[in-house]
Structure formats: C-alpha cells, structure tokens
Amino acid sequence: AKEFGRDNFQFYAPEFNTRAHEKFVLQEDLRNALARLEFTLFYQPQVDLRSGHVFAVEALIRWNHPTRGMLAPTAFIPTAEETSLIVPIGDWVLHEACRQNKAWQDAGLPPMTVCVNVSTRQFREKNLIGRVADALNVSGLEARYLELEVTESLIMQDIDLAVATMNQLQNLGVQISIDDFGTGYSSLSALKTFPVARLKIDKSFINDIAADENDQAVASAVISLGQNLNLRVIAEGVETDDQVAFLRKNNCDEMQGYHFSEPVSAPDIEKMLSGEPMD
Ligand code: C2E
Ligand code: CA
Ligand code: CA
Ligand code: CA
C-alpha cells in the first residue's frame, strides 16, 4: 500500500498547480513559525522634524525562514490574513513590541512610543481590546507608550465599527494613527469623529514630492488638515534631502524613512539611541 501511495503521489504531483502548492507549503510553514520562534521585529525610528528627536519606533515583522532566509511581511502577511493565522501572529507582535519597549525603558533609554500595525482581520476580532490589554498587562508597559496603526482603507470599510473599536482602544489609553493616509478617501466629516492622534501620509505621495505637483498638493493638504483637526502628521518613506526640505517648509511634524534609518534590529536601535556605532 505504501508503494502504491508513493506511485500515486508521483503520478499526480506534476498535475498540482505550482502556485497553489507553494501557497499550501507557505501556510504549513506559517503554522509552525510561531512555535519555532522564527519571527522577529525590526524597528524603524520616527523623528520629530523640528527637534530631530526620535520619539517613537514602528515595529515591522520579519520572518527568519529556515530555508528561504529573511522574509519581508509582504511575502507572508497576505496569506496570514487569509488563513486567520494573522490573529496569533498579531498577538505575538503586540506582546513582543510591548515587552521590548518596556525593556528599553527599564534599561534607561528615554521613553518612546512603539507603533504596531493592526491588520483588518485582527481589528475585527471580537476581543481585540482584551488582547491589547493583555499585552500591556503582561509587559507592564504603560498604555500611552503603545500606538496602533490602522490603515485608512480598513477604517473606511466599516466606519461605524471602526470608530466604536477605536473609541474602546482610546479608553484603554493607547494611541491610534491612520496609516497610508490619502489613499482611502476619508470624508472630512468622518475624519473629525475618528479618535486618532496622528495621520501618516502614505509613501506613494512622498516618493516624487520634490518634483510632482499633484503629490505636493496632496501632502500639503494632509498637513493642513492635520493642523486644523489638531492631529500630528508624519510622512513615511522619506529618503532624500529634497523631501525633508519640502516637509519642513510645509510644517510637517514628523518623518520616518531611509533618510534617517531603515528598520533595524532591537540591538541596533539601542546602539543608535545611545550614540554607539552600528554594525
Ligand atoms: P507599512 O505599515 O506602510 O510600513 C512601511 C513600509 O515601508 C515598511 O516595509 C518599511 O520598511 C518601508 N519603508 C520605510 N521607510 C522607507 C523608505 O524610506 N523607502 C521605502 N521605499 N520604504 C520604506 P515592510 O517592513 O516591508 O512592511 C510592509 C508592510 O507590511 C507594512 O507597511 C505593513 O502594512 C505590513 N506589516 C509589517 N509588519 C506588520 C505586522 O507586525 N503586522 C501586520 N499586520 N502588518 C505588518
Ligand atoms: Ca505602518
Ligand atoms: Ca504605511
Ligand atoms: Ca503601506
């Protein structure tokens, strides 16, 4: 029977759709990755454009895959979303980011906010609030040092639900920012009701900001919107001096991007913030 099974497999194997097969393998690997501690968080500094001070870091997940090497989130987050594995993975990210931030504070680094990306599936979980509260309790991190990044398109899918959930999160004391802002068509009247502290201008508007008049118009509109609604505005994907100059001239509050630093490991963040040379 064993022989037959093997022949059988070989007979059918070439018939497998390669992409479906790859996806199946990815799902199986993802299921094991948490137990095997293959995920890691990199951190990218967020800088105050006026003072140059690093006031926050964004946690960005990486997967140190046993055979494929270090994988970017775009290679596995979509599959994690489809399979709901994003829920336990997202829990791990929350716990790890809070633990690390508390450890930095305990080690005497100036207190920073850690920003964590929340996916649609995670945001829709009934007990999201409990899960976030749990990560804070277990780590001992004060809620005000945790910020959740929620994309504009996620909010726009169901505004009432999003506002209700964001209100509960705000009651817990965590901060909320709107990620990829400018891509999701929020109406002004809706935006006014969102309990958020910050808008992140999507990097697609920052790329050509030094030359493209449309991008300049969008970016400066988002910046004045933020000023009028009393929200801080951060530009993401900032790489060049020209982009920084435009943002300064237009009174943007904060920036994040390769111009200051790529996302780096936790030990490298410590070196950066204590002025030691990095590897
Ligand atoms: P995002 O939240 O919009 O994160 C910003 C992405 O831009 C990051 O890519 C970051 O490395 C990259 N980036 C930062 N500065 C620059 C720059 O100056 N130039 C350019 N070209 N890119 C820059 P990354 O780390 O590959 O993450 C991609 C996306 O994966 C994130 O986009 C986010 O949507 C998702 N993601 C990352 N970590 C998590 C996580 O823990 N949970 C969830 N649900 N999603 C995550
Ligand atoms: Ca983000
Ligand atoms: Ca973003
Ligand atoms: Ca994005």
Side-chain angles (χ1 to χ4, degrees):
K2 226 174 175 185
E3 279 301 319
F4 176 78
R6 197 177 295 150
D7 288 349
N8 207 33
F9 178 77
Q10 284 184 349
F11 181 76
Y12 285 107
E15 308 270 306
F16 267 122
N17 175 304
T18 317
R19 287 190 59 179
H21 181 66
E22 275 171 9
K23 196 166 160 188
F24 176 78
V25 172
L26 178 63
Q27 285 177 18
E28 285 309 298
D29 281 2
L30 261 180
R31 270 180 234 289
N32 295 318
L34 265 179
R36 295 180 186 157
L37 303 173
E38 291 170 357
F39 294 115
T40 185
L41 294 183
F42 273 30
Y43 297 90
Q44 187 175 36
Q46 299 181 344
V47 184
D48 186 297
L49 267 164
R50 294 174 191 92
S51 67
H53 179 78
V54 174
F55 62 91
V57 290
E58 178 176 3
L60 294 157
I61 195 170
R62 302 287 180 265
W63 181 7
N64 199 350
H65 190 280
T67 56
R68 297 169 64 197
M70 200 65 100
L71 298 184
T74 42
F76 62 91
I77 291 287
T79 301
E81 278 260 4
E82 281 170 41
T83 54
S84 286
L85 284 167
I86 193 66
V87 176
I89 293 172
D91 275 346
W92 178 84
V93 173
L94 270 172
H95 278 259
E96 177 58 14
C98 291
R99 183 204 62 76
Q100 180 63 73
N101 200 18
K102 181 67 163 70
W104 281 328
Q105 292 182 5
D106 290 347
L109 287 183
M112 296 183 291
T113 299
V114 68
C115 304
V116 170
N117 292 287
V118 178
S119 74
T120 307
R121 197 69 160 250
Q122 244 182 310
F123 192 81
R124 297 261 170 88
E125 279 286 295
K126 280 270 176 316
N127 50 356
L128 173 72
I129 315 301
R131 289 165 181 275
V132 173
D134 198 47
L136 292 169
N137 288 334
V138 170
S139 62
L141 183 73
E142 277 180 65
R144 64 186 164 125
Y145 295 117
L146 174 64
E147 182 167 307
L148 301 179
E149 295 194 359
V150 181
T151 63
E152 184 183 22
S153 57
L154 182 162
I155 296 173
M156 297 315 286
Q157 282 164 29
D158 186 339
I159 296 185
D160 294 342
L161 176 80
V163 170
T165 306
M166 290 192 292
N167 276 323
Q168 286 177 287
L169 289 167
Q170 197 189 41
N171 289 339
L172 207 62
V174 305
Q175 316 246 30
I176 300 160
S177 58
I178 307 185
D179 205 355
D180 302 347
F181 191 78
T183 61
Y185 313 100
S186 314
S187 73
L188 263 178
S189 52
L191 187 57
K192 222 173 44 182
T193 68
F194 297 166
V196 301
R198 283 213 285 181
L199 305 177
K200 289 192 94 169
I201 309 177
D202 191 62
K203 61 175 177 292
S204 61
F205 301 111
I206 304 299
N207 287 340
D208 296 324
I209 208 173
D212 186 310
E213 286 177 9
N214 293 322
D215 290 347
Q216 293 176 352
V218 173
S220 57
V222 174
I223 294 166
S224 22
L225 190 61
Q227 283 167 347
N228 291 328
L229 294 175
N230 238 335
L231 305 174
R232 285 147 57 211
V233 176
I234 184 166
E236 68 175 6
V238 178
E239 296 181 355
T240 68
D241 289 340
D242 287 349
Q243 291 168 334
V244 175
F246 177 91
L247 294 167
R248 283 226 169 88
K249 201 176 92 196
N250 285 273
N251 282 314
C252 188
D253 302 298
E254 305 157 356
M255 68 164 178
Q256 176 180 352
Y258 300 165
H259 183 266
F260 186 82
S261 170
E262 290 182 14
V264 296
S265 69
D268 278 349
I269 283 285
E270 288 155 35
K271 287 176 200 158
M272 190 186 296
L273 297 181
S274 57
E276 285 174 50
M278 296 205 290
D279 304 326

